[in-house]
Each structure stands twice: as structure tokens, then as C-alpha cells.
């Protein structure tokens, strides 16, 4: 549990009653029996039991202590099968704040973020992580809502500086890495996209996915920089399982989650950048619901901290001009198809979350609940086909007496 130190000022809304997560607040303030029952309702049961923690190597914990980041590790199990061996994959999620003020030289900002992430990636590697995912636009401040074009300088090709930086770790630790960047598409007129690059465990680029849904809410009007992606809903078959990336705002769209599941995803990562005032009540619900509805694991990553920009901007929602988006509340977590989930990382500290997942659980939940089997895709497809036509009329049956005047 991390509480404010004496004399240390907390960022506004960065903590909950002096605690950096709801889980830690409850654990410290409820008696053990009450906490067990509350935890059962909040985080569910994995195969009928409370989620187990993992003891990580001393080398990983040493990185955490030396560099001051939150480190938590949990294990999702599946029932033992007679015809299949367990398919356990170790996943890592990194959340972080920026390293220098946004007024610093762009070269220095980017270099400082790289340096900041090195020990966190090394901790993931020493912990034996197979698939590592970084937060949305990890290689820069989240400047997209300022509407200032100068931040486009951070954009880079898929095989650019950030990818090359991460490729060395992928090879060193035999690790797949998901890197969400601001992409500059050199082959198509240098158009900019919000893109996740999938780096294979041999350092190769497996592919990329571009953000499908662009927000236009509050400060988050990102279409100044990039528009909706054109890569569909790809699933990447890696050495450690079939994975997909639902970038940030796409988590609000159930059909987006569904499409990744229809394409066979076993783990869907949601690299994000979202603030407490806008979305925190949704955060623990949407990803968990997606995991349940689609019978796959969901790994959610959110950046941390308050990023203040040199020039004030407005939201178009009547609020006075301001220089920050609010507090990025971290709280990265993993949800399983059986409705269990991990506690969240800190709301105000950098962090690494490690989770073992037995991917056999995906099929076991499909067999138990039969969501895929009992879905009526032909009905949904028919409704959608009619809905997208200009002459669509909703299927509404009105009471014939609804507008009849009383005699």
C-alpha cells in the first residue's frame, strides 16, 4: 500500500482517501472476512477460487524497488483437461507517466521516456514475461487534444526509432512486444495514424493495427491528428497465442470487441490514455464485460499522471481554457473470460502488472456458457444491413390505442 509521505503533495484526484487504489483502501479498512467477501464480488473467482499471486524473481522486484514503480503479479488458472496440456502465457503491462515537462526539447522528452522504461522492461524480461504491452502513445506526451500541430513531430514510421528501441528487448528476452505509437505512413503521403505495432519475439515486425474509433468527447477530440483506422480487426498469431489490440476509445464499442473475438483472439490488449473525470467508472466494467461476452482475456493499460502543456486549450464544452486533460489514473488490470479479474495497479505511480493466463480457459468458458453457439449472428447481420441504408426504419410496433383520444 502506497500512502502519501509526510510533507509530500499528492496530485489532484491522484489518490482515493490517501490510497493509490480501491483494492488497497478496502484491504486496509475492512476486517479480513469482510474484505474477502467484497473482493469476491469485485474481482470474482477464477475456477472457483480467489486469484492467486505470483512470486516473481528477486531481480524483477529489485528493479521495482530501485526505480519506485508498482509491481504486482497474479495467476489465472484453468481446469485440468485430459486431451490438452495447459497453455500458460505470462503477460506484462506497463503504465507510466512522462519523464520530462512538456516544455522540454522534443528530443530530450523522447529520450527520457526511453530511459525511464528501460528498467521496467528489464523487470518484465527478468520476470519471464512472454507478451508485453505498453500504453497508448507511450513514446510521447498525450498531446493530441491540444490541437497544436507541432506535436506531429513525434510521429514515426512503423519501423522507426521506438520500434528499433523495443526490438532489442524482444530479442533479449524472447518476448512479443506491443508498441502503440503515433505512426507516420511514409508510403501514403505521410498521413498520421494512431497505431499499435506488434514486434515478434525474434525482433521482427509481425504487423500493425490502427485505432478504429476516434473520440470526440470533452478534451479528447483527436481527429486533428489522425482519423479512423483502415486495418480492420486483425488477430496476430504469435509464439505465445493469438492476440489483438483494441486501442483506447474502441473499448466503448461492443461490436469492436466482438470482431476481434470472431477472428479468433485469445487475448485482447487495450492500450489507453484516459482521465478520471471522464471515464473512471467505466474502466473496470467495459473490459471485463468484453472478456466475459467474447470468452477471451482482456489486458487494459492506462497511462499515469497529469501532463501540463505550455499553452491553454479549450474543450468545446463550456469549460474555461486549461493546460491539462486531468489525471491519467493508471489502474491497469487484466480480466478473464470467467469474470475474474486482477486488482488494479496504482492510480498515481508507474507500474508493471504481470499475469499468467492459461489460455485453455477461453475454450472452457465457451463450452460452459455457449455464448458463441447461442448467438444469433444472422439476426444481427440482417439488422445491421438494414440500419446502414438511408431508408432504414426501426422495427417499432406501436400500440394502436396509444394516440386514441378518450371518449
Amino acid at each position: 500500500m502506497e500512502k502519501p509521505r509526510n510533507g509530500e503533495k499528492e496530485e489532484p484526484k491522484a489518490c482515493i482517501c490517501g490510497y493509490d487504489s480501491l483494492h488497497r483502501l478496502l484491504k486496509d479498512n475492512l476486517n479480513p472476512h469482510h474484505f474477502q467477501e467484497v473482493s469476491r464480488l469485485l474481482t470474482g473467482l477464477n475456477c472457483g477460487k480467489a486469484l492467486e499471486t505470483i512470486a516473481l524473481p528477486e531481480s524483477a522486484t529489485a528493479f521495482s524497488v530501485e526505480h519506485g514503480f508498482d509491481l504486482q503479479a497474479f495467476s489465472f488458472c484453468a481446469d485440468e483437461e485430459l486431451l490438452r496440456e495447459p497453455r500458460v502465457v505470462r503477460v506484462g503491462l506497463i503504465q507510466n507517466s512522462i519523464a520530462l515537462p512538456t516544455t522540454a526539447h522534443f528530443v530530450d522528452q523522447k529520450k527520457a521516456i526511453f530511459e525511464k522504461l528501460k528498467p521496467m522492461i528489464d523487470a518484465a524480461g527478468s520476470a519471464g514475461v512472454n507478451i508485453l504491452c505498453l500504453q497508448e502513445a507511450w513514446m510521447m506526451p498525450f498531446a493530441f487534444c491540444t490541437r497544436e500541430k507541432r506535436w506531429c513531430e513525434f510521429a514515426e514510421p512503423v519501423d522507426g526509432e521506438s520500434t528499433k528501441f523495443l526490438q532489442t528487448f524482444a530479442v533479449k528476452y524472447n518476448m512479443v512486444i506491443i508498441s502503440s505509437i503515433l505512426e507516420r505512413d511514409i508510403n501514403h503521403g505521410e498521413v498520421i495514424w494512431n497505431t499499435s505495432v506488434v514486434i515478434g519475439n525474434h525482433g521482427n515486425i509481425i504487423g500493425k493495427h490502427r485505432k478504429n474509433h476516434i473520440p470526440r468527447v470533452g478534451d479528447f477530440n483527436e481527429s486533428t491528428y489522425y482519423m479512423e483506422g483502415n486495418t480492420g480487426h486483425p488477430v496476430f498469431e504469435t509464439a505465445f497465442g493469438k492476440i489483438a489490440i483494441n486501442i483506447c476509445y474502441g473499448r466503448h464499442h461492443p461490436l469492436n470487441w466482438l470482431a476481434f473475438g470472431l477472428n479468433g483472439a485469445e487475448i485482447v490488449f487495450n492500450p489507453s490514455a484516459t482521465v478520471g473525470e471522464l471515464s473512471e467508472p467505466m474502466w473496470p466494467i467495459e473490459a471485463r464485460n468484453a472478456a466475459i461476452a467474447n470468452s477471451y482475456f482482456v489486458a487494459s493499460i492506462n497511462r499515469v499522471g497529469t501532463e501540463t502543456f505550455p499553452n491553454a486549450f479549450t474543450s468545446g464544452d463550456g469549460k474555461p481554457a486549461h493546460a491539462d486533460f486531468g489525471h491519467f489514473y493508471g489502474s491497469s488490470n487484466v480480466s478473464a473470460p470467467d469474470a475474474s479479474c486482477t486488482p488494479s495497479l496504482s492510480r498515481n505511480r508507474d507500474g508493471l502488472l504481470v499475469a499468467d493466463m492459461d489460455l485453455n480457459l477461453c475454450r472452457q468458458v465457451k463450452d460452459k456458457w455457449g455464448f458463441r453457439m447461442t448467438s444469433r449472428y444472422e439476426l444481427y447481420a440482417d439488422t445491421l444491413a438494414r440500419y446502414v441504408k438511408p431508408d432504414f426504419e426501426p422495427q417499432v410496433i406501436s400500440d394502436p390505442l396509444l394516440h386514441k383520444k378518450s371518449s
Side-chain angles (χ1 to χ4, degrees):
M1 187 275 298
E2 182 75 6
K3 297 176 71 175
R5 301 177 181 88
N6 290 335
E8 185 180 67
K9 292 183 179 179
E10 281 283 353
E11 292 184 70
K13 302 181 181 179
C15 63
I16 310 171
C17 303
Y19 293 85
D20 67 355
S21 75
L22 176 62
H23 182 83
R24 284 162 173 160
L25 184 156
L26 294 172
K27 187 173 184 180
D28 275 18
N29 290 279
L30 295 176
N31 70 49
H33 173 70
H34 289 167
F35 175 72
Q36 182 181 19
E37 286 301 293
V38 169
S39 183
R40 177 178 65 84
L41 294 175
L42 286 179
T43 60
L45 298 176
N46 172 230
C47 294
K49 300 179 296 182
L51 205 60
E52 296 182 359
T53 58
I54 300 171
L56 295 177
E58 186 177 341
S59 55
T61 57
F63 279 116
S64 169
V65 172
E66 180 181 355
H67 297 277
F69 59 84
D70 190 12
L71 177 62
Q72 299 185 47
F74 302 91
S75 177
F76 293 94
C77 67
D79 291 332
E80 185 177 350
E81 299 187 18
L82 299 178
L83 300 179
R84 289 195 303 174
E85 294 294 323
R87 300 175 58 224
V88 178
V89 176
R90 180 162 288 189
V91 166
L93 313 178
I94 289 179
Q95 65 177 42
N96 61 277
S97 59
I98 56 176
L100 291 178
T102 59
T103 51
H105 194 288
F106 285 2
V107 170
D108 295 334
Q109 287 191 54
K110 196 169 189 179
K111 181 179 179 182
I113 291 174
F114 283 15
E115 289 300 316
K116 184 175 192 177
L117 258 65
K118 278 183 179 179
M120 301 179 74
I121 300 173
D122 282 327
S126 65
V129 164
N130 303 125
I131 307 173
L132 179 67
C133 187
L134 308 183
Q135 67 197 23
E136 183 184 22
W138 67 271
M139 28 63 75
M140 63 179 292
F142 201 80
F144 305 140
C145 309
T146 67
R147 300 190 294 280
E148 294 177 355
K149 291 293 189 177
R150 65 197 189 95
W151 300 102
C152 293
E153 287 192 48
F154 278 97
E156 56 186 74
V158 164
D159 59 354
E161 182 182 8
S162 296
T163 298
K164 289 180 169 59
F165 168 73
L166 294 174
Q167 283 174 315
T168 59
F169 293 101
V171 173
K172 180 179 180 180
Y173 294 116
N174 188 37
M175 184 165 60
V176 172
I177 302 179
I178 300 166
S179 170
S180 289
I181 65 169
L182 190 62
E183 178 203 353
R184 186 175 294 280
D185 186 355
I186 301 298
N187 292 336
H188 293 89
E190 302 199 7
V191 170
I192 291 176
W193 306 94
N194 185 322
T195 299
S196 286
V197 182
V198 182
I199 302 169
N201 55 310
H202 299 292
N204 56 307
I205 298 174
I206 298 177
K208 66 187 176 189
H209 174 56
R210 291 167 173 162
K211 188 172 180 175
N212 278 334
H213 299 276
I214 307 303
R216 294 167 179 84
V217 54
D219 287 330
F220 293 84
N221 192 346
E222 300 167 22
S223 53
T224 299
Y225 299 89
Y226 42 77
M227 297 299 287
E228 285 78 9
N230 57 4
T231 52
H233 295 87
V235 170
F236 302 93
E237 187 169 13
T238 74
F240 308 109
K242 294 179 179 179
I243 65 174
I245 307 101
N246 185 2
I247 303 172
C248 197
Y249 190 71
R251 72 182 179 278
H252 303 308
H253 296 269
L255 292 180
N256 210 44
W257 291 110
L258 171 65
F260 292 119
L262 295 180
N263 282 329
E266 296 170 308
I267 310 170
V268 179
F269 294 86
N270 178 228
S272 296
T274 184
V275 295
E277 187 176 295
L278 181 65
S279 68
E280 195 163 11
M282 303 176 184
W283 182 253
I285 298 171
E286 290 173 310
R288 193 173 180 187
N289 179 69
I292 297 166
N294 297 288
S295 303
Y296 52 47
F297 287 92
V298 173
S300 306
I301 313 96
N302 184 30
R303 65 170 56 207
V304 182
T306 302
E307 302 177 8
T308 304
F309 292 87
N311 301 314
F313 50 86
T314 57
S315 305
D317 57 7
K319 292 182 180 179
H322 46 282
D324 67 76
F325 306 140
H327 177 67
F328 293 104
Y329 54 83
S331 303
S332 302
N333 63 84
V334 174
S335 303
D338 66 354
S340 60
C341 65
T342 68
S344 296
L345 287 179
S346 170
R347 295 182 78 258
N348 53 23
R349 299 167 61 204
D350 296 347
L352 168 63
L353 179 64
V354 176
D356 282 352
M357 307 171 178
D358 187 339
L359 299 183
N360 282 354
L361 186 62
C362 299
R363 182 191 289 178
Q364 291 174 11
V365 172
K366 288 177 183 177
D367 289 349
K368 177 180 180 178
W369 283 97
F371 291 149
R372 191 65 55 81
M373 180 173 61
T374 56
S375 289
R376 298 297 307 278
Y377 297 117
E378 72 282 4
L379 295 183
Y380 315 149
D382 177 67
T383 298
L384 289 171
R386 290 187 292 106
Y387 179 78
V388 298
K389 294 179 180 179
D391 59 351
F392 170 73
E393 293 186 8
Q395 185 180 4
V396 177
I397 301 174
S398 297
D399 181 349
L401 301 181
L402 187 61
H403 302 294
K404 184 177 181 181
K405 294 182 180 180
S406 301
S407 55

